[in-house]
Amino acid sequence: MQSRPRRRLPLLAAAAAAAVGLAVVPALVGSDNSIALAAVDPMTFPWTPSAVPAGLGQPVFEKDSNFIAARYGDQSNGISVTTDVAEEDFWTIPAGARSADVDGDEAKVYERTVYNGSPESANAVTVVWKDDANDWTAVTGSGQYADVDRMVLFAEALRDQPQRVDLSLSVAPAGWTMAAYKEDRILTLSESGKTDDNDLTVALTDHVGTNLSAYGAEDESAVTINGGPALLGRQASGAGDFRWILEATTASGQAFALQAPDGLTRDQVIAVAKGVTYEP
């Protein structure tokens, strides 16, 4: 069987934009050697299933420096797709794993046990293959979906069609990449691509507070984000440094908190906050 070409879309396009010399938005270049900002494309997950079993609902996305995944249903009774993995050793594939064909690519299929953040476990079947883009991808079915033939067919039917994640940014520090994305509620960007003391984090919250005392913030001021009231302050982070903290709502009305390094100016923090979107 001839395999179809598969492309990989970046989860965040800021790094790609910088690499090919796309212009940084002039109005978002800070003074005093502050970090420059750039417009970025919406974040996406590269695969879309042709069909999802009834009852599993919409996907929940996660990412760290080693992978990106979409999960349908519960971890112990659902289906997940994990991709953008550089090494096969990311999975513990037993020596006796059977082989299968996924759209012309050789795959390994094996049974394992998965956990859902508790001692309770469930049986699972994982199909792992390396596609034409040299990325390792896996489909895992757990609980009632732990069926070898069913998961091979599910993997075969994946479409090279990106899905936009729920929580996203339209403006970010130029060249920074996604360090973590947790269950459509928290995203973290950093210059290194890993979480560190100078990263930028957006987290969904229940509401915008009346003050920022819970963050230990100082120098609070009222600002306007997306036409609504917001709060901006600074958190001491030692050695005279500080981090920005901002609470606001997206244009769709979802409350969020933004933490950013002091390398950004006040106006840049506001610009990033205005670009936070949440579209579940």
Side-chain angles (χ1 to χ4, degrees):
M1 181 184 298
Q2 184 177 4
S3 61
R4 65 176 181 269
R6 290 173 174 170
R7 57 190 170 86
R8 283 288 177 269
L9 298 180
L11 189 69
L12 185 67
V20 299
L22 296 183
V24 172
V25 181
L28 302 181
V29 177
S31 59
D32 302 324
N33 297 317
S34 62
I35 301 166
L37 300 186
V40 296
D41 290 336
M43 294 177 286
T44 60
F45 180 80
W47 297 114
T48 297
S50 295
V52 176
L56 289 185
Q58 296 299 310
V60 174
F61 299 101
E62 292 196 43
K63 184 189 186 304
D64 68 13
S65 58
N66 298 311
F67 73 93
I68 177 173
R71 188 181 74 245
Y72 298 83
D74 190 85
Q75 189 168 345
S76 59
N77 190 43
I79 299 173
S80 65
V81 182
T82 304
T83 191
D84 284 355
V85 176
E87 301 292 339
E88 183 182 18
D89 291 344
F90 179 81
W91 293 278
T92 304
I93 303 176
R98 59 176 284 190
S99 296
D101 181 277
V102 174
D103 200 27
D105 296 314
E106 182 182 1
K108 295 296 183 181
V109 183
Y110 64 100
E111 297 180 357
R112 63 191 183 101
T113 301
V114 295
Y115 297 87
N116 192 21
S118 71
E120 296 182 2
S121 62
N123 294 328
V125 167
T126 295
V127 182
V128 182
W129 72 97
K130 188 176 185 179
D131 63 29
D132 296 338
N134 289 321
D135 291 318
W136 289 96
T137 297
V139 167
T140 297
S142 59
Q144 70 184 88
Y145 305 99
D147 180 273
V148 172
D149 293 336
R150 192 175 188 180
M151 287 303 97
V152 170
L153 289 174
F154 189 92
E156 280 268 359
L158 287 175
R159 301 197 309 270
D160 185 17
Q161 177 180 328
Q163 300 184 71
R164 181 169 176 168
V165 301
D166 294 351
L167 179 61
S168 189
L169 293 172
S170 61
V171 173
W176 286 29
T177 55
M178 182 68 67
Y181 187 91
K182 300 296 183 182
E183 297 190 345
D184 294 320
R185 295 194 61 83
I186 302 173
L187 67 80
T188 300
L189 307 181
S190 73
E191 187 173 16
S192 66
K194 299 180 180 179
T195 55
D196 55 42
D197 292 338
N198 291 312
D199 57 29
L200 182 152
T201 297
V202 176
L204 301 187
T205 60
D206 293 333
H207 60 274
V208 175
T210 57
N211 58 63
L212 299 174
S213 60
Y215 302 95
E218 302 174 351
D219 302 326
E220 290 185 30
S221 61
V223 296
T224 300
I225 303 292
N226 298 318
L231 293 172
L232 176 63
R234 304 196 303 175
Q235 298 171 300
S237 60
D241 296 330
F242 69 91
R243 287 176 62 81
W244 295 103
I245 177 69
L246 180 146
E247 280 195 344
T249 56
T250 65
S252 63
Q254 172 62 53
F256 68 91
L258 167 67
Q259 290 180 298
D262 61 359
L264 297 181
T265 67
R266 182 179 187 275
D267 288 343
Q268 287 179 315
V269 174
I270 292 173
V272 172
K274 288 180 177 179
V276 175
T277 61
Y278 182 67
E279 300 177 3

